[in-house]
Amino acid sequence: MSSNTASSSAGSGDSSAARKNSKRPKCIDYSSALLSLTLLDSKFTQQELPACKPILTPGWVISTFLIVSVIFIPLGVISLFASQDVVEIVDRYDNDCIPAPARTNKVAFIQGAAPKSCNRTLTVTKRMKQPIYVYYQLENFYQNHRRYVKSRSDSQLRSPKFENQISACKPEDDAGGKPIVPCGLIAWSLFNGTYTLSRNNTPLAVNKKGIAWKSDKEHKFGNKVFPKNFQKGNLTGGATLNPDIPLSEQEDLIVWMRTAALPTFRKLYGKIETDLENGDTIQVTLQNNYNTYSFSGNKKLVLSTTSWLGGKNDFLGIAYLTVGGICFFLALAFTIMYLVKPRRLGDPSYLSWNRNPGGGR
Amino acid sequence: MSQKEIKDEDARLVYINDAERTNESFDFTGNSIKTAKYSVFTFLPRNLFEQFHRVAYVYFLVIAVLNQLPQLAVFGRGASIMPLAFVLLVSAIKDAYEDFRRHRSDRVENNRLALVFEEGRFREKQWKYIRVGEVVKVVSNQTLPCDMVLLATSDPTGVVYVQTTNLDGESNLKTRYAKQETLQKAADLETFNGFIKCEKPNRNIYGFQANMEIDGRRLSLGPSNIILRGCELKNTEWALGVVVYAGGETKAMLNNSGAPSKRSRLETRMNLEIILLSLFLIALCTTAAATAAVWLRRHRDDLDTILFYRRKDYSERPGGKNHNYYGWGWEIFFTFFMAVIVYQIMIPISLYISMELVRIGQAYFMTRDDQMYDESSNSSFQCRALNINEDLGQIKYLFSDKTGTLTDNKMEFQCACIGGVDYSDWKSADSEHAGYSIEVDGNILKPKMRVRVDPELLELTKNGYATKEAKRANEFFLSLAACNTIVPIVTNTSDPNVKLVDYQGESPDEQALVYAAASYGFLLIERTSGHIVINVRGEMQRYNVLGLHEFDSDRKRMSVILGCPDTSVKLFVKGADSSMFSVMDESYGDVIEETKKQLHAYSSDGLRTLVVGMRKLNDSEFEQWHSSFEAASTALIGRAGLLRKVAGNIETKLRIVGATAIEDKLQRGVPEAIESLRIAGIKVWVLTGDKQETAISIGFSSRLLTRNMRQIVINSNSLDSCRRSLEEANASIESNEESVALIIDGTSLIYVLDNDLEDVLFQVACKCSAVLCCRVAPFQKAGIVALVKNRTSDMTLAIGDGANDVSMIQMADVGVGISGQEGRQAVMASDFAMGQFRFLVPLLLVHGHWNYQRMGYMILYNFYRNAVFVLILFWYVLFTCYTLTTAITEWSSVLYSVIYTSVPTIIIGILDKDLGRRTLLNHPQLYGVGQRGEGYSTTLFWYMMFDTIWQSAAIFFIPLFAYWGSTIDTSSLGDLWTIAAVVVVNLHLAMDIIRWNWITHAAIWGSIVAACICVIVIDVIPSLPGYWAIFEVTSTWMFWFCLLAIVVTSLLPRFAIKYLGEYYRPSDVRIAREAEKLGTFIESQTMETEMNQIGDPPRR
């Protein structure tokens, strides 16, 4: 019964048989399936599975480099354009916002009770389309310090049930024996600077809603978890929280708790939802509360638009252009080398024992 | 070998049929066996204990324990223990399953039934309850339950036949004897009393020493009086024996040991780089600790106020106490060890486990290879040692036995020289010759194997005793039929009237001779210890066997004394020519001279020769011999020596009858195999016990020697002449570049080995393209291998099939056993076992080459893979205030070398082939890659390491600069780094893959997909800080732009350099690969046809 299937490699006579068979209902001929299975099996055990054996020929390599450069150079150009499109106003205020007499001991000033209010004026040099993001930028602040990143309790943030899971939060775990919610160094050091913006002397609304990840608000920070005993310890770190608002609504905290990967980072403060025109002046009244002075950190206020690629950063565009350029150059060089000194592929006379007969062994 | 008195403290005392008394004071092991290692209770502790014998696991454990210290806790509990627990669990499950199967088979074995003499009759008893001292009855075709000393058998002479297939793989029947003294007594077992004093249990299955004392008489027992567990009783109705060793103390069980363990050269070589990597690891950890120290020192006054450090815990008491800060010195110390934990995979411990898996895979493919499957013996290739697969790719010296290895060890009677006249006229031999057969009692008896006959000689034998020549011819075949230890077994065929006579014996030469005699009408039909029956052309003749002097290697001959039907007593002797001519009667000088001439001609044709002589014994001679033989065979001390002396005394003044020539055919494909091995640059040394002429002629027919080779023959009888000829040889080769073959004999080797001449011999041998050592004793074989092994770092391989090759197989770096005619001892001692010599070619040139290339690449790749990851982690330390934060989640760090990147390297290590089988076989020179160690070297290691630094930098710094000063959070960046590393590392491997089949595709792309799935799974757990990060970050273009830039940038240099190297400085492998793909191998057509014999055996 399997006589015609067994010789399936034979050509035409076989196909006519197959045609005849095809009128029958399409049930699989198990013997042929088995045969092909054993053939596959023997191909496998003999390590003769059908395989593709690519080799790096000059043609392949040169065209690969060309393709890469053809892709990379335009990508680099559009990345650079995207970065150029972003309008960014950066204002470093940590030094200027300390009254001149206090600058000899900034730490004492910032820990003291003196008023911390400070006025800054920014000028818009290029039209900024909404939404304009307001960031505070900290430098030399290691939110990724090992001691710091570990000092949090994710389960406590999620549900009031786990209020007492504070073991990881040391040295900011409890106040007078009662658990702190949210506990840990991260929450404790919550940024407490505030900015009030006005344009040409009219207040400029900064929308502080929707600055945190939706996923964090919905799942990571519980809407039944309320701040407790927060900043009640002997040392106050940063901002306080309104104990009547659940954590899921405390967006500044949520943003802060997404610890930054790098020591220079921005955190979203809010969004301006109107366009800013070229020549507008922005007055900022800020509360310079946050102590970055003990570790010589910087504080900056940033107003920035974004492009589809993110913020203002030329690095990626330049990197793409460089790599694309190198690839183009290599493609060129390899082509010249190939034309000057070609080698016939697979020429047995290049084999070591053919090159110097007798000396081979 | 003298029968030594066994000292009391070394002996065990067995009271026959009195198990109580026997076990009273000693309590010998019962017969229940336990091959299972564990019980339910001991499993956990014992299994863990055994697993932790591996260094890798200990390293894992130490790191995991370090991580449990609160100050050092880098990873969570789960993440730190998981990899170790996983590996332990998998191994434990595997072990438990295997042990379960052993338990089951133990139970089956222990519950088998045997007849044991109890309370006056034989009763069935389960094997496990049999005790030492009991008497057991075994019937035909039953397996023996334990080691027993024979007391009686169904045969009145006390002979019993056993098959030892289970024990040593030999399928022929062996004869064992019950002592005459016990034969009658055993009829009345109740009153049987006596004891056996035997040696302590040992694993030597060919030796046994004991004394038996019955009724005050002492008898000595030897290996021929004991039957061993696992053997089967054949051709004997029943046998009675007393148990001397039971259960785990039987020789069969003691021999059940595992395969030898060796370490591969590559692995040893790799240790150097492991040390380098450890130094890197220490350097990285020191850097981390030192920079952390500097930072802490510079900020020591601010530590309490720095928001992200805050040293003091104020909640405990006013003023606060230090939290997790133990002072500057301790912090450095802790940082260092935390760094060790974080960077632990710098030392690729998982590599050892991957290597084991890869070797198992490679072994599977070697075992399943059709080209190494022997149809004649139905045996496939066996990998007994699992650690040295890749050594097969680096062999430089091959030492081969001849008989059974190069040849089939199937002896075929070819020529006879009777009375100095040569009968070897095969041309007129009738190919349709029906074979000899006779009719006995209405049944037709036929020898099982047909032998071609010389018609002239056949006619001559039919003449009976008419002429002198005819008389001699008859004597000749009578001696062939009589003077041996062959046991004829008559078997039934499909035709009830036709019976086949099958000759079973320990020596294939004897079998060939008896079959030859049968073809000329001298059909041996029956053998007991007392008589033989030979059917001479239809007439039954009964000969009494009065004495038998067995073959020994000192005399190199055997003899039998027969009482003939005409009441005369005749001595027949058969032996090697060197030992026979000295005991011949000189009065037949002309016949001797003629015979010698013929013998020389035979051995020049590569035939094995034996000389047959006989003598009629007169009464006084016989009486004298008989009494001394009796005395010697019952002697307690020095029996073997006495018997030898008795034999030597009687075997004199023989009349020459004739000589035989037996062909030991070369195995199929041997000449081609030797030739391609030689082209592959492997130096082939053949070590044989044969005569020089035989060896040289085999050398020519196996193409070890060729006509254009100059032969240097060293046959010296003294140290000085040996030195002289070696030095002459050494000088003569230096002068020119011709190909030279060295032929040296065993006597010369005695002077060379263990002497300063070894160096000279080595120098000479190195310059020769072939070396042939003849007349070599077994112990010299190992000496020769050691001579080479100790003087060079090149790899040696020894191949052999017999017990005499065991020492050589164990001495060489790689030992290969041929599972052939001479039993299984060589196989038991070997690392690899196969059926035919020619399989060496695919084994070395194909599998060895592949395995070496795969393993070399895999080691390098694993170093690279882990180092890239460690360096990415390390660069981040420079941006986290020198603390050991990892942006990559701890689970990803753990899974990286387990799931994300491990499968492809294992698959590639098993499946990738740099060149096709056909190419490798057609161009044996490609084997040089392994011999020169091109697949793995320190240069390649450093090249890999520089690439590693570049790639890790590209992976790390591109996102770093792209995201600098942005809102990127740790988890998102960590996810980007994780995925980038996995993609780059897998694409790097993909770039080096030579053959892409569906499995490779699945492994590579599957790994990347699996890594992404794992990252996603980790990021959907809300209680981890990185919740949803992967979705947030991948929804930005920035992520994808970074990923693309990383992949291209990191792989660019390697790609360009790889191309330049392969195109402008191509290696042989590369050219061959191009030629294979483009089909430009048009040369060497002739070779291809020759190779076909090796390359294309019929498919199974």
Side-chain angles (χ1 to χ4, degrees):
Chain A
M1 53 154 190
S2 66
S3 61
N4 59 15
T5 51
S7 62
S8 60
S9 60
S12 58
D14 201 63
S15 62
S16 66
R19 234 176 286 127
K20 257 179 260 162
N21 285 348
S22 65
K23 283 189 182 158
R24 277 189 253 150
K26 287 216 169 164
C27 70
I28 301 159
D29 185 344
Y30 285 105
S31 65
S32 88
L34 204 66
L35 185 80
S36 60
L37 206 68
T38 50
L39 270 180
L40 191 74
D41 178 54
S42 89
K43 280 233 166 97
F44 175 71
T45 57
Q46 300 313 305
Q47 307 188 53
E48 297 289 348
L49 283 176
C52 158
K53 301 175 275 182
I55 48 176
L56 293 180
T57 60
W60 274 104
V61 172
I62 291 166
S63 30
T64 310
F65 279 120
L66 274 181
I67 290 169
V68 170
S69 63
V70 164
I71 295 173
F72 267 51
I73 292 172
L75 284 183
V77 171
I78 61 166
S79 312
L80 270 187
F81 272 121
S83 167
Q84 295 298 321
D85 275 350
V86 173
V87 186
E88 199 178 67
I89 302 169
V90 181
D91 178 52
R92 179 175 169 183
Y93 64 87
D94 53 287
N95 207 29
D96 297 346
C97 278
I98 291 181
R103 282 183 197 164
T104 47
N105 192 346
K106 296 174 196 165
V107 179
F109 170 79
I110 206 80
Q111 285 174 339
K116 310 273 170 35
S117 185
C118 178
N119 289 315
R120 309 288 294 170
T121 307
L122 313 172
T123 314
V124 180
T125 52
K126 203 174 167 192
R127 187 171 186 276
M128 294 170 93
K129 281 180 75 178
Q130 63 100 3
I132 298 157
Y133 294 93
V134 181
Y135 301 100
Y136 52 94
Q137 175 167 335
L138 298 180
E139 286 174 22
N140 218 7
F141 187 101
Y142 289 92
Q143 257 207 322
N144 55 16
H145 194 287
R146 173 162 192 88
R147 223 178 138 84
Y148 185 80
V149 287
K150 297 273 165 191
S151 187
R152 64 189 286 160
S153 167
D154 286 288
S155 40
Q156 190 203 43
L157 299 174
R158 204 147 51 93
S159 159
K161 272 190 297 187
F162 304 122
E163 196 179 284
N164 290 316
Q165 293 203 357
I166 51 171
S167 56
C169 290
K170 286 196 167 194
E172 192 61 26
D173 50 346
D174 57 6
K178 287 184 219 144
I180 298 172
V181 182
C183 70
L185 278 187
I186 304 180
W188 172 75
S189 62
L190 176 62
F191 186 75
N192 56 0
T194 59
Y195 310 101
T196 317
L197 276 70
S198 60
R199 174 170 56 169
N200 306 336
N201 297 324
T202 50
L204 189 60
V206 176
N207 184 2
K208 288 185 69 71
K209 289 275 166 224
I211 56 172
W213 289 1
K214 211 166 142 250
S215 56
D216 278 354
K217 282 165 71 178
E218 285 172 0
H219 302 287
K220 200 159 170 56
F221 290 80
N223 54 11
K224 294 202 178 63
V225 184
F226 294 90
K228 276 183 195 164
N229 308 317
F230 190 65
Q231 302 290 24
K232 298 279 166 59
N234 295 346
L235 187 67
T236 307
T240 50
L241 295 171
N242 184 344
D244 299 326
I245 301 174
L247 290 188
S248 60
E249 300 300 321
Q250 309 260 17
E251 293 203 37
D252 279 327
L253 176 76
I254 298 175
V255 169
W256 183 254
M257 295 288 284
R258 279 263 155 219
T259 55
L262 302 169
T264 296
F265 63 90
R266 288 173 187 178
K267 292 276 175 195
L268 192 54
Y269 181 79
K271 288 180 274 188
I272 299 171
E273 280 161 343
T274 53
D275 294 354
L276 295 181
E277 301 303 328
N278 188 4
D280 282 356
T281 50
I282 313 283
Q283 286 85 35
V284 186
T285 307
L286 56 83
Q287 291 296 319
N288 182 20
N289 294 331
Y290 204 62
N291 180 7
T292 53
Y293 302 100
S294 54
F295 48 90
S296 52
N298 302 341
K299 280 181 284 195
K300 285 175 184 167
L301 169 67
V302 180
L303 303 185
S304 174
T305 60
T306 57
S307 67
W308 54 273
L309 194 58
K312 195 170 187 66
N313 191 337
D314 290 346
F315 171 77
L316 213 51
I318 294 169
Y320 266 89
L321 284 179
T322 315
V323 172
I326 290 174
C327 284
F328 185 74
F329 169 76
L330 284 177
L332 212 67
F334 286 170
T335 316
I336 294 168
M337 281 172 83
Y338 172 69
L339 293 175
V340 172
K341 199 184 156 200
R343 172 173 76 87
R344 196 161 80 83
L345 286 179
D347 186 349
S349 63
Y350 283 103
L351 290 165
S352 62
W353 61 91
N354 290 339
R355 270 203 310 262
N356 44 352
R361 64 185 122 98
Chain B
M1 192 182 72
S2 62
Q3 185 77 27
K4 272 181 289 180
E5 195 73 6
I6 306 165
K7 287 200 207 97
D8 277 345
E9 59 266 32
D10 296 333
R12 74 161 36 179
L13 222 56
V14 177
Y15 293 96
I16 298 165
N17 201 19
D18 194 347
E20 265 69 40
R21 197 168 156 205
T22 308
N23 291 291
E24 200 169 48
S25 49
F26 292 106
D27 202 20
F28 297 123
T29 314
N31 197 39
S32 86
I33 53 158
K34 186 163 170 278
T35 55
K37 278 195 213 153
Y38 316 109
S39 73
V40 179
F41 303 105
T42 62
F43 179 77
L44 204 63
R46 265 198 79 175
N47 185 261
L48 283 179
F49 178 73
E50 276 173 23
Q51 290 204 38
F52 277 112
H53 271 134
R54 289 181 177 154
V55 183
Y57 290 9
V58 175
Y59 180 81
F60 271 142
L61 185 71
V62 168
I63 297 279
V65 166
L66 272 183
N67 191 61
Q68 303 312 313
L69 300 175
Q71 290 83 10
L72 296 181
V74 179
F75 298 131
R77 286 269 150 75
S80 62
I81 298 180
M82 204 235 22
L84 181 61
F86 176 76
V87 176
L88 287 179
L89 186 73
V90 170
S91 315
I93 289 174
K94 193 195 84 197
D95 290 348
Y97 176 69
E98 280 175 1
D99 209 49
F100 168 72
R101 290 191 2 185
R102 279 195 290 264
H103 270 293
R104 212 168 44 186
S105 70
D106 283 355
R107 206 159 44 234
V108 171
E109 188 88 340
N110 283 333
N111 288 336
R112 289 168 73 167
L113 296 173
L115 288 169
V116 177
F117 190 77
E118 267 180 340
E119 294 161 16
R121 62 195 179 91
F122 285 101
R123 287 208 295 201
E124 282 200 332
K125 197 169 173 183
Q126 285 178 337
W127 278 22
K128 58 182 166 189
Y129 298 124
I130 297 176
R131 289 182 300 167
V132 173
E134 288 181 324
V135 174
V136 175
K137 184 178 190 175
V138 189
V139 298
S140 189
N141 294 329
Q142 240 181 10
T143 309
L144 301 172
C146 33
D147 295 355
M148 313 188 288
V149 166
L150 279 170
L151 294 179
T153 74
S154 55
D155 186 280
T157 55
V159 176
V160 57
Y161 298 98
V162 288
Q163 197 175 31
T164 55
T165 322
N166 287 340
L167 214 55
D168 59 6
E170 299 178 35
S171 60
N172 53 27
L173 294 184
K174 304 220 167 63
T175 43
R176 296 287 180 264
Y177 308 93
K179 280 281 165 187
Q180 292 294 332
E181 290 79 0
T182 59
L183 272 177
Q184 295 86 34
K185 291 211 61 149
D188 188 13
L189 275 175
E190 294 271 19
T191 61
F192 200 114
N193 90 54
F195 63 87
I196 294 171
K197 197 167 158 194
C198 60
E199 55 191 351
K200 287 252 165 66
N202 60 49
R203 48 192 298 181
N204 180 6
I205 54 174
Y206 300 100
F208 176 67
Q209 273 194 24
N211 293 319
M212 177 153 50
E213 201 164 315
I214 342 171
D215 308 337
R217 275 188 67 194
R218 287 185 73 185
L219 307 166
S220 76
L221 303 171
S224 63
N225 305 112
I226 186 169
I227 47 180
L228 304 177
R229 181 184 179 124
C231 298
E232 257 180 73
L233 198 68
K234 293 277 181 193
N235 285 38
T236 316
E237 234 169 84
W238 53 262
L240 272 189
V242 57
V243 179
V244 287
Y245 306 122
E249 290 176 345
T250 55
K251 291 179 186 287
M253 299 308 292
L254 289 172
N255 269 290
N256 252 348
S257 65
S261 129
K262 288 182 181 171
R263 282 192 81 172
S264 90
R265 180 67 55 92
L266 202 58
E267 208 176 314
T268 321
R269 175 78 191 65
M270 184 180 95
N271 284 340
L272 177 68
E273 276 75 36
I274 293 279
I275 292 169
L276 282 177
L277 286 174
S278 320
L279 293 179
F280 282 163
L281 176 66
I282 292 171
L284 291 185
C285 298
T286 312
T287 314
T291 47
V294 170
W295 189 88
L296 282 175
R297 195 79 193 154
R298 279 172 51 183
H299 294 86
R300 62 183 178 278
D301 300 329
D302 309 323
L303 292 179
D304 289 337
T305 45
I306 291 178
L307 288 166
F308 53 83
Y309 197 95
R310 217 189 93 176
R311 182 168 54 186
K312 291 235 182 323
D313 185 349
Y314 294 100
S315 61
E316 301 286 325
R317 62 183 137 111
K321 69 159 208 172
N322 285 349
H323 163 67
N324 207 2
Y325 182 86
Y326 305 90
W328 192 61
W330 280 109
E331 286 302 308
I332 299 173
F333 179 79
F334 287 142
T335 312
F336 183 85
F337 278 99
M338 272 157 79
V340 172
I341 297 173
V342 175
Y343 305 147
Q344 55 174 297
I345 60 167
M346 188 73 177
I347 308 211
I349 288 302
S350 59
L351 174 61
Y352 290 101
I353 296 157
S354 310
M355 277 167 89
E356 274 176 36
L357 290 175
V358 164
R359 287 193 187 118
I360 292 172
Q362 290 174 345
Y364 169 80
F365 282 115
M366 288 197 273
T367 316
R368 292 293 300 267
D369 191 342
D370 287 349
Q371 289 190 8
M372 297 200 288
Y373 173 78
D374 187 22
E375 279 175 335
S376 56
S377 62
N378 196 19
S379 61
S380 52
F381 183 80
Q382 283 178 43
C383 271
R384 294 176 41 81
L386 269 179
N387 292 333
I388 54 171
N389 289 351
E390 57 272 17
D391 280 354
L392 292 172
Q394 294 189 286
I395 302 298
K396 198 87 196 250
Y397 288 91
L398 168 70
F399 299 91
S400 172
D401 171 43
K402 200 212 86 190
T403 311
T405 307
L406 295 180
T407 63
D408 266 331
N409 205 13
K410 276 200 184 119
M411 306 300 169
E412 212 168 280
F413 182 79
Q414 289 289 10
C415 317
C417 167
I418 303 170
V421 184
D422 170 41
Y423 298 94
S424 52
D425 185 11
W426 305 119
K427 269 175 237 141
S428 55
D430 188 355
S431 54
E432 266 120 64
H433 172 66
Y436 182 79
S437 61
I438 47 154
E439 218 179 297
V440 179
D441 306 331
N443 287 330
I444 294 172
L445 278 179
K446 265 186 179 173
K448 194 178 170 195
M449 258 179 28
R450 275 191 281 158
V451 179
R452 291 181 300 174
V453 293
D454 181 328
E456 190 191 337
L457 186 57
L458 189 61
E459 279 308 308
L460 203 60
T461 55
K462 284 181 184 159
N463 285 343
Y465 296 86
T467 63
K468 200 177 155 198
E469 282 80 23
K471 192 165 168 250
R472 273 209 176 120
N474 277 307
E475 276 174 346
F476 177 73
F477 287 113
L478 180 63
S479 21
L480 292 192
C483 181
N484 52 53
T485 52
I486 294 291
V487 182
I489 289 164
V490 180
T491 51
N492 294 324
T493 59
S494 48
D495 185 348
N497 290 328
V498 179
K499 300 237 155 102
L500 283 183
V501 186
D502 184 9
Y503 292 126
Q504 294 260 1
E506 291 176 35
S507 151
D509 294 71
E510 284 191 344
Q511 276 174 308
L513 293 178
V514 179
Y515 277 119
S519 296
Y520 285 97
F522 290 77
L523 194 61
L524 177 69
I525 287 177
E526 196 183 327
R527 169 184 296 275
T528 67
S529 54
H531 71 273
I532 54 175
V533 174
I534 298 176
N535 185 306
V536 182
R537 288 188 298 278
E539 179 197 343
M540 285 292 192
Q541 295 184 356
R542 186 186 156 106
Y543 295 84
N544 291 320
V545 179
L546 303 172
L548 184 87
H549 299 116
E550 286 186 19
F551 180 86
D552 66 62
S553 49
D554 289 346
R555 269 160 60 234
K556 291 202 179 98
R557 57 181 179 252
M558 70 159 290
S559 57
V560 61
I561 294 173
L562 295 183
C564 300
D566 57 0
T567 68
S568 64
V569 177
K570 282 175 183 161
L571 166 74
F572 294 91
V573 191
K574 167 180 109 227
D577 47 1
S578 58
S579 69
M580 287 296 287
F581 287 121
S582 57
V583 294
M584 288 293 176
D585 189 346
E586 294 297 329
S587 57
Y588 300 94
D590 49 336
V591 183
I592 291 175
E593 277 316 303
E594 277 304 309
T595 313
K596 274 186 176 168
K597 231 182 269 170
Q598 283 303 328
L599 283 175
H600 186 75
Y602 292 157
S603 51
S604 301
D605 287 340
L607 302 175
R608 296 158 71 94
T609 54
L610 284 173
V611 176
V612 183
M614 66 168 288
R615 180 153 72 100
K616 207 166 170 181
L617 299 182
N618 57 38
D619 287 350
S620 64
E621 265 178 322
F622 175 71
E623 285 307 326
Q624 196 189 343
W625 167 82
H626 189 71
S627 57
S628 49
F629 183 73
E630 283 292 297
S633 51
T634 51
L636 289 176
I637 299 161
R639 183 163 41 151
L642 285 174
L643 279 173
R644 193 155 58 226
K645 209 165 151 198
V646 173
N649 285 341
I650 195 81
E651 289 162 354
T652 53
K653 292 202 177 282
L654 300 174
R655 178 160 59 82
I656 185 155
V657 178
T660 61
I662 297 167
E663 186 181 10
D664 186 4
K665 273 198 173 162
L666 273 187
Q667 286 180 12
R668 195 160 72 92
V670 164
E672 293 83 356
I674 286 191
E675 181 153 1
S676 47
L677 290 177
R678 229 202 0 249
I679 299 172
I682 299 172
K683 289 192 192 291
V684 182
W685 295 41
V686 170
L687 317 176
T688 169
D690 279 335
K691 279 199 297 290
Q692 192 165 312
E693 295 81 25
T694 319
I696 290 177
S697 93
I698 288 281
F700 277 112
S701 58
S702 65
R703 287 197 223 161
L704 179 71
L705 306 176
T706 53
R707 294 287 164 199
N708 55 15
M709 271 184 193
R710 187 160 64 88
Q711 296 179 10
I712 297 179
V713 181
I714 295 177
N715 271 336
S716 309
N717 284 318
S718 73
L719 183 61
D720 287 334
S721 71
C722 191
R723 185 191 302 274
R724 217 177 313 117
S725 42
L726 268 175
E727 273 158 6
E728 261 169 39
N730 199 4
S732 76
I733 309 174
E734 268 165 335
S735 55
N736 46 36
E737 274 221 339
E738 62 189 333
S739 69
V740 183
L742 176 71
I743 294 139
I744 187 163
D745 71 351
T747 343
S748 313
L749 281 173
I750 292 174
Y751 300 113
V752 172
L753 295 178
D754 301 321
N755 204 309
D756 57 330
L757 281 182
E758 278 194 358
D759 284 318
V760 190
L761 176 66
F762 179 68
Q763 282 168 21
V764 176
C766 278
K767 293 175 196 157
C768 296
S769 38
V771 178
L772 193 59
C773 305
C774 34
R775 291 280 189 222
V776 180
F779 70 91
Q780 287 179 326
K781 289 187 176 180
I784 295 166
V785 176
L787 182 149
V788 173
K789 199 179 158 187
N790 297 339
R791 276 175 183 70
T792 158
S793 60
D794 295 327
M795 300 285 291
T796 53
L797 180 147
I799 178 168
D801 74 318
N804 57 356
D805 304 317
V806 167
S807 60
M808 149 173 113
I809 286 172
Q810 282 170 339
M811 174 63 75
D813 293 306
V814 179
V816 179
I818 299 257
S819 41
Q821 314 281 317
E822 283 188 39
R824 291 184 52 81
Q825 279 159 308
V827 171
M828 300 293 262
S830 69
D831 305 312
F832 301 96
M834 55 196 191
Q836 300 268 325
F837 180 82
R838 67 171 191 279
F839 298 162
L840 258 190
V841 176
L843 177 66
L844 297 184
L845 301 194
V846 180
H847 288 285
H849 178 94
W850 284 344
N851 292 346
Y852 171 74
Q853 292 277 42
R854 290 161 176 171
M855 201 55 94
Y857 182 76
M858 179 170 143
I859 294 170
L860 285 174
Y861 177 77
N862 273 268
F863 287 165
Y864 148 82
R865 178 191 74 164
N866 287 8
V868 161
F869 194 76
V870 168
L871 281 175
I872 293 172
L873 296 179
F874 174 73
W875 299 131
Y876 193 52
V877 166
L878 306 180
F879 298 90
T880 61
C881 207
Y882 319 107
T883 58
L884 290 151
T885 319
T886 53
I888 296 166
T889 62
E890 59 184 38
W891 284 101
S892 281
S893 319
V894 166
L895 295 177
Y896 176 78
S897 54
V898 181
I899 295 178
Y900 298 176
T901 56
S902 67
V903 177
T905 133
I906 293 172
I907 296 286
I908 299 310
I910 298 173
L911 286 181
D912 204 24
K913 305 189 290 181
D914 58 343
L915 288 170
R917 180 186 289 266
R918 179 161 281 275
T919 314
L920 288 170
L921 287 176
N922 288 349
H923 300 274
Q925 294 96 332
L926 290 168
Y927 189 71
V929 175
Q931 291 169 334
R932 294 189 294 269
E934 287 174 10
Y936 181 86
S937 64
T938 310
T939 323
L940 284 173
F941 172 78
W942 284 109
Y943 169 59
M944 206 68 160
M945 278 298 129
F946 282 116
D947 198 21
T948 305
I949 293 171
W950 167 257
Q951 293 192 17
S952 67
I955 296 171
F956 179 79
F957 285 103
I958 288 177
L960 182 91
F961 290 129
Y963 282 110
W964 190 259
S966 74
T967 57
I968 190 76
D969 62 294
T970 317
S971 312
S972 303
L973 196 57
D975 286 345
L976 172 57
W977 276 327
T978 311
I979 288 176
V982 170
V983 171
V984 166
V985 161
N986 276 310
L987 284 184
H988 174 114
L989 180 62
M991 221 158 72
D992 291 338
I993 290 179
I994 291 147
R995 258 158 227 253
W996 283 91
N997 56 40
W998 66 268
I999 302 175
T1000 341
H1001 277 291
I1004 294 275
W1005 313 124
S1007 277
I1008 295 179
V1009 171
C1012 292
I1013 292 173
C1014 286
V1015 169
I1016 290 172
V1017 166
I1018 292 168
D1019 274 359
V1020 296
I1021 302 170
S1023 58
L1024 291 181
Y1027 179 66
W1028 224 249
I1030 185 73
F1031 300 104
E1032 295 284 348
V1033 75
T1034 49
S1035 63
T1036 62
W1037 278 104
M1038 193 68 167
F1039 174 87
W1040 300 105
F1041 268 63
C1042 279
L1043 193 61
L1044 181 65
I1046 289 170
V1047 169
V1048 172
T1049 314
S1050 51
L1051 296 178
L1052 189 79
R1054 187 179 171 81
F1055 187 68
I1057 291 171
K1058 185 179 158 84
Y1059 162 73
L1060 287 178
E1062 287 188 356
Y1063 192 71
Y1064 290 104
R1065 302 190 59 186
S1067 63
D1068 290 342
V1069 170
R1070 160 78 187 188
I1071 295 169
R1073 193 186 310 148
E1074 289 166 3
E1076 191 177 78
K1077 178 155 178 160
L1078 306 171
T1080 46
F1081 272 141
I1082 31 171
E1083 42 129 27
S1084 64
Q1085 287 291 340
T1086 47
M1087 207 149 86
E1088 204 146 330
T1089 46
E1090 280 167 10
M1091 290 301 138
N1092 277 348
Q1093 207 166 351
I1094 304 162
D1096 280 325
R1099 285 264 154 138
R1100 240 190 292 176

